[in-house]
């Protein structure tokens, strides 16, 4: 699918032996994005060429992806905190807001650990972990539908006022303000990107 500043992304599918009723893996061959962190390997004086993708050790990879999964977990909690504030404010108001409140969510995601089955690698212990991946729900629609609303280095919308999705970007700025205040200036979601139809949005875990 592509390569970002820190992770590679490949198309894949997920089938669970005991699938949940909803969410990631609830259907057979569930389309997912398989993400894995990387480090750039720069060319040396002896080997001139383009930068290459290097992989971390299993220990480092596990730590990085567990941290990524935890960030997504807490981001969902902050999102719920924001909507709880909005819903309470609307319920206590004598009149409803003169606009439709956008409803957004993060992609479903989870960690996939690969274990040795025995005989797959010489000297490898059966059941030991040999790889880990971050699996995310695939956002359908292609690159043309994917929008970066707010960059993680700036609290202002990346879109211009006349751009499609600017109203959602402004809503995300409002959400950041609520999160910052409600957590006593401790945390807010700093990167909003995904797909939007102006009322509902699906956000990636970047």
């Amino acid at each position: 699918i592509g390569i970002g500043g820190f992770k590679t992304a490949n198309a894949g599918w997920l089938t669970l032996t005991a699938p949940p009723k909803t969410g990631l893996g609830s259907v057979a061959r569930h389309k997912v994005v398989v993400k894995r962190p990387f480090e750039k390997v720069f060319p040396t004086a002896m080997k001139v060429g383009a930068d290459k993708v290097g992989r971390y050790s299993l220990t480092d990879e596990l730590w990085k992806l567990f941290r990524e999964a935890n960030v997504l977990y807490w981001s969902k909690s902050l999102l719920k905190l924001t909507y709880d504030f909005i819903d309470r404010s609307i319920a206590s108001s004598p009149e409803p807001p003169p606009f439709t409140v956008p409803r957004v969510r993060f992609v479903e995601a989870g960690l996939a650990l690969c274990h040795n089955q025995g005989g797959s690698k010489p000297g490898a212990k059966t059941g030991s972990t040999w790889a880990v991946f971050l699996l995310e729900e695939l956002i359908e629609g292609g690159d043309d539908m994917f929008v970066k609303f707010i960059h993680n280095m700036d609290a202002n919308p990346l879109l211009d006022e006349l751009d499609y999705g600017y109203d959602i970007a402004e809503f995300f700025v409002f959400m950041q303000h609520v999160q910052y205040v409600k957590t006593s200036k401790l945390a807010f979601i700093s990167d909003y990107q995904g797909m939007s139809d102006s009322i509902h949005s699906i956000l990636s875990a970047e």
Side-chain angles (χ1 to χ4, degrees), residues 21 27 49 56 146 158 160 169 181-182 190 192 197 201 206:
K21 292 183 179 180
V27 297
Y56 292 99
F146 198 84
L158 276 176
D160 293 328
V181 172
K182 288 297 181 179
S190 63
Y192 286 98
D197 63 1
S201 295
E206 291 301 316

Side-chain angles (χ1 to χ4, degrees), residues 36-194:
R36 196 177 179 191
F38 73 91
E39 57 181 344
K40 290 183 179 179
V41 179
F42 298 100
T44 64
M46 298 295 293
K47 295 181 180 180
V48 179
D51 299 344
K52 294 183 178 180
V53 170
R55 295 300 181 186
Y56 292 99
S57 67
L58 177 61
T59 301
D60 289 340
E61 206 166 48
L62 276 167
W63 179 81
K64 288 178 180 294
L65 288 183
F66 268 111
R67 183 181 62 177
E68 187 91 9
N70 276 328
V71 167
L72 179 60
Y73 177 83
W74 286 109
S75 294
K76 288 185 175 184
S77 297
L78 285 171
L79 192 65
K80 183 180 184 303
L81 177 148
T82 310
Y83 275 115
D84 287 346
F85 169 79
I86 292 173
D87 293 341
R88 286 195 303 269
S89 298
I90 292 175
S92 62
S93 175
E95 296 182 3
F99 53 84
T100 301
V101 176
R103 292 289 164 177
V104 305
R105 69 175 179 87
F106 282 100
V107 292
E108 296 291 334
L111 291 180
L113 277 67
C114 301
H115 301 278
N116 288 306
Q117 300 301 311
S120 58
K121 280 189 176 183
K125 185 178 180 181
T126 301
S128 61
T129 303
W130 64 270
V132 59
F133 304 95
L134 177 67
L135 305 185
E136 290 183 7
E137 168 191 359
L138 178 66
I139 299 178
E140 302 282 1
D143 292 342
D144 293 340
M145 299 295 293
F146 198 84
V147 180
K148 196 171 186 69
F149 298 97
I150 299 178
H151 192 270
N152 55 14
M153 297 296 291
D154 192 348
N156 296 310
L158 276 176
L159 305 176
D160 293 328
E161 192 170 347
L162 297 179
D163 288 342
Y164 177 78
Y166 180 79
D167 53 339
I168 295 289
E170 279 199 312
F171 179 69
F172 289 148
V173 173
F174 158 76
M175 295 183 85
Q176 287 183 323
H177 179 77
V178 173
Q179 293 158 8
Y180 186 66
V181 172
K182 288 297 181 179
T183 61
S184 300
K185 304 180 181 180
L186 292 176
F188 64 90
I189 302 170
S190 63
D191 195 349
Y192 286 98
Q193 56 185 352

